[in-house]
Amino acid sequence: MSISTFLLSLFAMFGLFQGTAPAYKNLTPAQFSSAVRERGAVLLDVRRPDEFAAGHLPGAVNIDVTSPDFARRVAALDKTKSTYVYCRSGARSATAASQLTKAGFGQVSNLLGGVLDWPEKLVR
């Protein structure tokens, strides 16, 4: 057995090549719609303010994930409540969901497909 084969076997044995699953949940629009109705849940729109103003989910709080003060602003949220995050397509919200879990938020869910795939009416 060559040294490279041995090392590859060793890495595989200890799971060093396995990707880590995100600490947050990815939800389909139907799952997300049902989940956000939970009492006390926080609904977080992480798009830019102009995108939020053009239409957002009812009851959403807008904190732009690309803003320099994103971490400070989300720190004011209750980390013990279920937090549901969305954006336009699901990419920025996945980034935000990852940041939230790293900041100690226990129950974070991301809307797959974002508002582009949202079947319900948005509010202004």
Side-chain angles (χ1 to χ4, degrees), residues 13-100:
M13 184 172 73
F14 288 104
L16 298 176
F17 289 136
Q18 297 174 357
T20 57
Y24 58 88
K25 294 179 191 171
N26 283 308
L27 302 179
T28 65
Q31 292 169 320
F32 197 88
S33 177
S34 177
V36 296
R37 289 172 172 71
E38 173 188 334
R39 185 178 203 96
V42 175
L43 181 56
L44 183 59
D45 183 321
V46 296
R47 298 176 298 158
R48 295 183 322 266
D50 62 307
E51 293 174 293
F52 182 81
H56 56 274
L57 276 62
V61 173
N62 182 222
I63 304 176
D64 181 356
V65 69
T66 64
S67 174
D69 65 347
F70 177 77
R72 181 187 59 78
R73 292 186 62 201
V74 295
L77 300 175
D78 188 341
K79 293 179 182 183
T80 65
K81 291 186 176 182
S82 296
T83 305
Y84 297 91
V85 186
Y86 72 93
C87 66
R88 180 179 174 270
S89 66
R92 286 177 284 177
S93 56
T95 298
S98 180
Q99 290 178 20
L100 291 169

